[in-house]
Amino acid sequence: MARIHFQVGDRSLGSRELNWGVTRIGRARDNDLVIDHPSVSIHHCELVLGLDSLLVRDCASTNGTFVDGQSVRETQLHPGQVLRFGEIEGRLEYSEDRVSVPELPPPKQKHSVTLDDGTVSCLNHPNVRATRRCPRCKKMFCDSCIHHLSFRGSADHNFCPQCSAETELIAWDGGERKKKSVWALIKGVFGR
């Protein structure tokens, strides 16, 4: 968190928390921080707040941008320094402490396993034989995991629960698919 406290002479004008990234300061209403004072330019300067840095950049202002009394175009800022935009002063308050983010191990990926009979298990159910394979993500699933969609008078559609691609049937029995009875075919055409 970074904050700037404003004052003119001995009179305090309050404080403002800075945005992450760029905070534009000036007299115009399109600035992030509007200072309605004749000594401040329409677009006076920018404060750029990063994870471990804060810098000020003058935007070709008429009366200049100063840090601890020195005129600057662009410079790194430190806590306690005094900025001046025309006749307005601002004192910076922020921590230069580095933020440490712990490194987290990536989540364990699930995978299918080979079952005792030589077939492969469902990705979500390691003890159940997979019946469908996704050609896009190459994962295998059992019927209970697959998203089924059927319309009256058309073929069933079976979609991958991971990537939503249409899956294909896995033929574990030497590539032979069980033939449907005539009654099953009629039922498929006229509904269930």
Side-chain angles (χ1 to χ4, degrees), residues 5-187:
H5 299 273
F6 294 100
Q7 64 184 53
V8 175
D10 293 336
R11 193 179 75 188
S12 174
L13 300 175
S15 66
R16 172 81 187 267
E17 195 170 314
L18 299 177
N19 301 329
W20 285 104
V22 177
T23 300
R24 290 179 181 81
I25 299 173
R27 217 172 51 235
R29 298 284 170 224
D30 64 344
N31 289 292
D32 300 306
L33 211 154
V34 178
I35 300 176
D36 192 14
H37 192 273
S39 67
V40 176
S41 293
I42 291 173
H43 295 107
H44 200 97
C45 67
E46 298 175 338
L47 295 174
V48 183
L49 178 62
L51 285 177
D52 57 359
S53 67
L54 176 62
L55 68 89
V56 63
R57 183 181 302 134
D58 186 73
C59 296
S61 62
T62 304
N63 294 322
T65 301
F66 297 82
V67 176
D68 291 336
Q70 299 293 313
S71 177
V72 296
R73 281 226 182 277
E74 183 174 315
T75 190
Q76 194 75 26
L77 297 171
H78 302 284
Q81 287 187 306
V82 177
L83 287 172
R84 186 165 52 85
F85 325 105
E87 296 174 19
I88 308 295
E89 282 190 355
R91 183 170 299 277
L92 292 170
E93 178 185 297
Y94 81 103
S95 173
E96 290 184 306
D97 294 337
R98 294 191 76 101
V99 175
S100 65
V101 178
E103 191 170 318
L104 299 174
K108 270 191 160 180
Q109 296 292 323
K110 295 190 278 185
H111 61 278
S112 296
V113 295
T114 303
L115 299 173
D116 293 338
D117 63 359
T119 61
V120 177
S121 74
C122 170
L123 180 70
N124 299 321
H125 303 101
N127 297 322
V128 177
R129 180 193 299 192
T131 56
R132 301 200 73 82
R133 175 183 306 125
C134 177
R136 184 184 300 160
C137 69
K138 307 295 185 222
K139 295 185 171 102
M140 293 187 242
F141 301 95
C142 64
D143 278 337
S144 65
C145 291
I146 295 294
H147 296 261
H148 303 281
L149 179 66
S150 60
F151 295 102
R152 205 172 272 199
S154 70
D156 290 346
H157 297 276
N158 300 285
F159 298 102
C160 175
Q162 295 274 315
C163 70
S164 299
E166 189 145 4
T167 59
E168 47 193 38
L169 186 65
I170 301 172
W172 292 115
D173 302 321
E176 298 170 19
R177 291 174 67 175
K178 189 175 176 183
K179 291 185 179 181
K180 287 187 176 181
S181 69
V182 173
W183 180 246
L185 292 172
I186 292 171
K187 245 173 97 176

